[in-house]
Amino acid sequence: MGVLNVTPDSFSDGGDFFGVDRALRRAERMVEEGADILDIGGESTQPGAAPVSGPEEIERVVPVIEALGPRVSVPISIDTSKPEVMRAAVNAGAGMINDVRALRGPGALEVAVEAGVPVCLMHMQGEPRTMQAAPVYRDVVSEVRDFLRRRIQVCVGAGMDPERVLVDPGFGFGKTLAHNLALLAGLGELCSLGPPVLVGLSRKSMIGTLTGRSVTERLAGSLAAAVLAVERGVRLVRVHDVTATVDALRVVRAVRDFGSPAPQSEFSI
Ligand code: PT1
């Protein structure tokens, strides 16, 4: 899953030609590099990030989804917690909802069920603006696992197709370095819940803390984290650096397939 942020920067505001054009070029490049899904987000959820209004978020993401849909073959995921953004994005062509609040916001569950698209339910303790202040868990792996299990139950109870649910432990969302490491080491326990597990580790501060690297220098650390996650059963990785991640995961797959080759593979006699 390639990350496509459409949050404004010094060069462009959402919705204008340069913003849309830049996003399209970045998205097409990630697909060429091997991304199977594009995750588009119009509101930052990084630690300390300020909220954005619904209309503002729609103005940022909808023009990009409308322009991108006919130009790429892969599904577009909308990274949002707002039901009005979910609805507008799916109407514009998004084929998946990625909600860091696991559809706990008012009206989100109903809109997601109505949309009928796959949904990623993520764990977060607190809210982005303050979540890193003092996160506390008794046992982070079992608490995240229980939270995700309950959210799956609630969503399926509300009419969601269980085959269209994914889960995510939410690395960096109200977690200390020790919490993130416990979750990375314990990903196997989340994978045994049933639904495919997605993780976002790419360039996050936990990689920065472990390596002493700035955000643009975290590729090697991010690749190690992606490999460790996939080795533990994770099915989707949300990343900025698609080419390098695809290479790393090709190596993982080759070794895995070598250990248990398919019947008709070139390795059978
Ligand atoms: C994620 C994720 C996401 N992460 C899903 N969606 C972000 N499903 C946005 C840091 O510690 O992991 N899973 N959408 C980005 N959020 C963060 C959080 C970015 C923490 C950086 C950090 O540096």
Side-chain angles (χ1 to χ4, degrees):
M1 172 184 265
V3 178
L4 189 64
N5 289 320
V6 288
T7 46
D9 56 29
S10 51
F11 295 106
S12 62
D13 283 310
D16 72 22
F17 172 76
F18 293 106
V20 174
D21 200 49
R22 258 167 31 117
L24 288 181
R25 276 185 283 132
R26 170 123 191 81
E28 287 180 320
R29 177 150 168 210
M30 287 194 289
V31 173
E32 284 164 18
E33 291 175 349
D36 294 318
I37 304 173
L38 295 171
D39 188 41
I40 177 164
E43 177 182 55
S44 173
T45 52
Q46 289 187 25
V52 172
S53 78
E56 173 77 38
E57 205 179 321
I58 289 172
E59 198 181 310
R60 292 179 186 179
V61 298
V62 164
V64 177
I65 296 169
E66 282 176 344
L68 195 54
R71 294 174 66 156
V72 294
S73 53
V74 304
I76 299 166
S77 157
I78 176 67
D79 186 347
T80 191
S81 295
K82 295 188 187 74
E84 64 270 34
V85 180
M86 292 174 189
R87 191 183 280 122
V90 170
N91 287 339
M96 175 173 167
I97 294 168
N98 172 26
D99 184 2
V100 300
R101 293 177 183 79
L103 304 177
R104 285 176 295 160
L109 177 56
E110 293 72 16
V111 168
V113 169
E114 167 75 24
V117 299
V119 176
C120 180
L121 305 170
M122 200 197 79
H123 176 272
M124 169 164 60
Q125 185 178 94
E127 278 295 313
R129 215 169 52 76
T130 52
M131 65 190 176
Q132 289 307 108
V136 177
Y137 298 85
R138 179 184 43 78
D139 174 341
V140 68
V141 176
S142 65
E143 283 177 56
V144 168
R145 190 174 198 270
D146 290 348
F147 169 86
L148 294 172
R149 202 203 328 256
R150 268 197 304 277
R151 293 309 298 163
I152 297 165
Q153 270 172 13
V154 168
C155 292
V156 172
M160 193 174 291
D161 178 354
E163 297 288 305
R164 293 190 174 160
V165 177
L166 301 92
V167 295
D168 183 335
F171 285 100
F173 286 89
K175 282 126 189 152
T176 63
L177 175 61
H179 295 141
N180 288 317
L181 290 174
L183 282 169
L184 183 44
L187 276 172
E189 290 177 53
L190 297 181
C191 293
S192 64
L193 268 177
V197 176
L198 184 158
V199 296
L201 289 150
S202 179
R203 299 185 183 176
K204 283 189 178 174
S205 54
M206 64 177 285
I207 310 289
T209 305
L210 292 170
T211 58
R213 305 280 180 196
S214 70
V215 70
T216 56
E217 298 172 333
R218 296 179 188 166
L219 177 56
S222 300
L223 294 175
V227 167
L228 290 164
V230 170
E231 276 286 88
R232 285 162 174 72
V234 163
R235 301 284 300 276
L236 301 96
V237 288
R238 183 183 180 277
V239 304
H240 302 87
D241 303 283
V242 174
T243 300
T245 307
V246 168
D247 280 2
L249 296 183
R250 279 192 176 132
V251 174
V252 173
R253 174 186 281 171
V255 174
R256 178 190 293 174
D257 289 356
F258 192 78
S260 55
Q264 251 76 57
S265 93
E266 60 180 297
F267 302 112
S268 48
I269 307 170

